[in-house]
């Protein structure tokens, strides 16, 4: 068995991620703001940097989730180590008003769009 010198390297440096969250559309503004603050708190607590948070608004879902046909979409771009993604998703699984979420490694240049994003 070949021993690759790179196989033992732990890539534990900050990378850019994008998380799309579909939130229950029945939340009022206060509940929505509490949800966003909770998500921000999780990310910051893990020593990650939030680049932008964009509210894409209410959109029709492809299929019903928990008998709900619309969802409020929120997109978060952040710099973090891989363990932060696991912690964020663990918390999202336990939040009842989170209908769905997905995190991907983001490869586009976010620095130029940082100022253009709608911050919440």
């Amino acid at each position: 068995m070949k021993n690759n010198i790179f196989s033992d390297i732990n890539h534990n440096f900050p990378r850019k991620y994008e998380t799309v969250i579909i939130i229950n559309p029945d939340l009022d503004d206060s509940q929505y703001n509490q949800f966003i603050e909770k998500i921000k708190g999780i990310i910051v607590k893990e020593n990650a940097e939030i680049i932008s948070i964009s509210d894409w608004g209410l959109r029709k879902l492809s299929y019903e989730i928990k008998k709900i046909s619309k969802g409020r979409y929120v997109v978060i771009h952040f710099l973090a180590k891989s363990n932060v993604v696991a912690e964020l998703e663990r918390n999202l699984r336990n939040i009842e008003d989170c209908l769905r979420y997905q995190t991907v490694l983001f490869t586009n240049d976010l620095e130029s769009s940082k100022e253009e994003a709608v911050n919440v």
Side-chain angles (χ1 to χ4, degrees):
M1 185 168 149
K2 272 188 173 176
N3 190 2
N4 185 343
I5 61 170
F6 298 110
S7 64
D8 295 329
I9 296 175
N10 183 3
H11 297 287
N12 203 14
F13 52 89
R15 299 174 83 179
K16 295 176 185 177
Y17 291 94
E18 176 182 72
T19 299
V20 178
I21 305 170
I22 304 174
I23 303 170
N24 185 339
D26 297 332
L27 294 182
D28 61 28
D29 287 342
S30 173
Q31 292 170 316
Y32 171 77
N33 290 333
Q34 286 176 349
F35 181 94
I36 296 300
E37 288 304 316
K38 183 172 186 171
I39 299 306
K40 283 182 181 178
I42 294 165
I43 294 171
V44 171
K45 179 182 162 197
E46 295 295 324
N47 297 320
E49 177 189 350
I50 297 173
I51 297 171
S52 68
I53 299 177
S54 302
D55 184 349
W56 285 7
L58 203 60
R59 295 174 180 234
K60 186 175 183 330
L61 301 175
S62 297
Y63 56 90
E64 284 190 359
I65 302 171
K66 300 179 183 178
K67 298 184 180 183
I68 298 172
S69 61
K70 291 186 178 183
R72 188 167 185 178
Y73 283 68
V74 175
V75 179
I76 304 172
H77 293 116
F78 57 98
L79 285 171
K81 296 179 180 179
S82 60
N83 64 319
V84 176
V85 174
E87 180 63 17
L88 175 62
E89 290 185 347
R90 184 187 70 77
N91 280 279
L92 287 171
R93 265 192 302 278
N94 295 325
I95 299 174
E96 187 175 325
D97 290 318
C98 176
L99 302 178
R100 290 285 187 274
Y101 60 87
Q102 183 171 11
T103 302
V104 295
L105 183 60
F106 197 79
T107 56
N108 288 350
D109 182 23
L110 293 177
E111 294 305 315
S112 61
S113 66
K114 187 174 183 178
E115 293 80 18
E116 299 169 11
V118 178
N119 290 319
V120 177

